[in-house]
Structure formats: C-alpha cells, structure tokens
Amino acid sequence: MVRLDKFLCDCGVGTRSQVKDILKSGRVSVDGKVERDGSRKIDADTQTVTLDGESLNCRGRVVVMLNKPAGYVTATEDKNDPTVMELLPEAYKHLELKPVGRLDKATEGLLLFTNDGDLLHRLISPKKEVPKRYYARHEGAAGPEDIAAFAEGLVLGDGTKCLPAKLEIAGPGESFVTVCEGKYHQVRRMLACRGLPVTYLERRQEGEITLGDLPRGQVRELTEAEISTLL
Ligand code: URA
C-alpha cells in the first residue's frame, strides 16, 4: 500500500505541491470515485487511479506470458467468445496490456502481453519477427520431403508464399514447426497443404522465451533479463 500523493509523484504527475493542487481540484479518481485526500493509502496492484479519466500506471514496461487454454479468442473484446483478456488476474487489468500477435481460439500455449507499444510493434513487425516454435499433432506422418518443403518456403493453396520454416518430426503424427512470421492460421495451413491436417496446436516458444512449467490458464511476469532477449 502506498500513499496516493506519493503514487502520483512516482508516476510523474507533478511535484508534491503540484500533486496537492491536482488532488484538490478533483481531477484524480480511485476506482471511479473522486479522491482529494493525498494521505489515503492505495494498492497500486489492484486499484485503478485515473487523472482526468486516464488510468495511471507507475510500473513502466510490463510483459507477461499466459499459457492460453483453448476456447479463448485473442482479442480485447468479442461478442461471442471469452477473450484472453479475461484470463489476466485483477492486478494486471489496469495496466492496459495488449496481446502480442494472436493465437487462434483452438490454439493453446504461449501468448505474451505488453503495455509497451514500441516493444509490441517490434515483436510483430514482419521485418523483425522472432522465431515461434509450435508443437502440433496432425493426421498423417511427416517425412523428409515435408521437412525440405518447409525449409524451401511453402506456397499455400491460395498462392500465399511462406518464408522458409523448420519442421521437426517428433513422432508419428507429431511435429514441431518453427516460423518467423505470423500469417492467419499459418501453422495449420502449412501442415494442411502438406496433407497433414492439424488436430492440436500449442505454441511452446517465442524467441528465447519458453512456456516452462507455467500451468495452463496461468500468467507470469517476464523478468528484465527475459525481456532483454526480445529486444
Ligand atoms: N498458426 C496457426 O495456425 N494458429 C495459431 O494460433 C498460431 C499459428
């Protein structure tokens, strides 16, 4: 818990005396209610503090990973389906985190979120896309000719050209696929065009970041060292 006036100073809203005036003028709200008392203690992790209606975040850059379960769409809002935003714990709700790229509703595994717009654009920019590794179960069995076709760069049924990608055979009907781009339904379409339709897909790794033992549906924050590997 921290005093509201200290929180506002730490967020760079102004000096102590400016913050006093700002509070007096009723521009600050805590959880939707105007608060003028700077000595009031707040919990910056769970409470939302706004200045002129804009929520304040003192935490700077935050990156979290979710182990996404199937059944959730990667969107901030959706009329029909639950969204990945609903899986973020209360403490992260006011940080305005955005998903980095997307996973299909049926796909499970590693999904990053950040409140840092520059980092987000960097991670999804086609020029800088980090390698993403997926585990897939599929019908049929992949062979050396599929590995070669992936390495060459597949052309999908509709003419879409894919960058060279890596296919590793994990067992009969099981493969790992590593891609450096994020086209719509990319891994499913790549395997399908080789006659290997996907029955299960999970993202395991993005750059150096791996899911590790994070349980399905759970979230954890990336450390600064992990974040620096993405930069
Ligand atoms: N490729 C897909 O086909 N689906 C995903 O969710 C991610 C990559």
Side-chain angles (χ1 to χ4, degrees):
M1 299 289 271
V2 59
R3 279 177 62 115
L4 179 58
D5 49 10
K6 179 168 186 334
F7 174 85
L8 293 167
C9 287
D10 290 349
C11 286
V13 162
T15 62
R16 263 195 115 80
S17 72
Q18 287 168 333
V19 159
K20 218 171 172 179
D21 291 343
I22 287 169
L23 280 162
K24 246 199 234 158
S25 60
R27 293 167 59 195
V28 175
S29 297
V30 177
D31 291 338
K33 279 178 102 179
V34 172
E35 180 59 72
R36 292 186 163 84
D37 178 5
S39 70
R40 164 162 176 200
K41 293 269 178 62
I42 59 143
D43 180 347
D45 281 341
T46 58
Q47 294 187 289
T48 304
V49 180
T50 57
L51 170 65
D52 300 331
E54 294 284 320
S55 72
L56 293 171
N57 156 32
C58 278
R59 300 239 10 233
R61 176 171 60 208
V62 176
V63 185
V64 301
M65 68 155 84
L66 165 71
N67 186 343
K68 178 191 173 297
Y72 289 80
V73 291
T74 309
T76 44
E77 279 173 59
D78 194 88
K79 279 201 198 108
N80 305 314
D81 291 305
T83 74
V84 290
M85 305 311 287
E86 294 166 36
L87 296 164
L88 295 179
E90 213 41 54
Y92 294 108
K93 292 244 160 94
H94 66 297
L95 295 179
E96 304 195 348
L97 295 169
K98 302 260 173 350
V100 178
R102 62 185 299 282
L103 289 179
D104 301 334
K105 184 176 163 189
T107 304
E108 301 198 309
L110 176 57
L111 182 64
L112 298 176
F113 294 76
T114 185
N115 59 351
D116 180 336
D118 287 343
L119 178 64
L120 182 104
H121 285 113
R122 213 185 165 109
L123 290 175
I124 59 175
S125 144
K127 285 196 198 111
K128 298 226 169 112
E129 280 236 24
V130 295
K132 291 180 266 293
R133 190 163 190 254
Y134 294 85
Y135 164 76
R137 282 200 291 271
H138 48 78
E139 292 172 23
E145 61 294 348
D146 298 305
I147 295 175
F150 270 66
E152 177 109 342
L154 292 172
V155 181
L156 304 178
D158 64 356
T160 304
K161 287 187 97 171
C162 298
L163 291 175
K166 188 170 172 188
L167 176 70
E168 299 162 88
I169 298 171
E174 283 181 294
S175 299
F176 289 101
V177 174
T178 304
V179 291
C180 288
E181 53 185 346
K183 298 187 199 302
Y184 179 68
H185 285 176
Q186 177 144 6
V187 174
R188 293 174 195 277
R189 288 160 74 209
M190 286 169 99
L191 285 164
C193 92
R194 298 296 307 172
L196 305 164
V198 168
T199 54
Y200 176 79
L201 189 62
E202 179 187 38
R203 180 152 69 199
R204 294 265 176 98
Q205 190 170 348
E206 203 162 337
E208 305 284 305
I209 310 297
T210 58
L211 262 185
D213 53 10
L214 183 67
R216 192 84 68 210
Q218 298 295 300
V219 162
R220 84 159 170 86
E221 246 178 81
L222 262 55
T223 62
E224 277 304 317
E226 286 175 313
I227 294 171
S228 65
T229 69
L230 293 169
L231 298 175

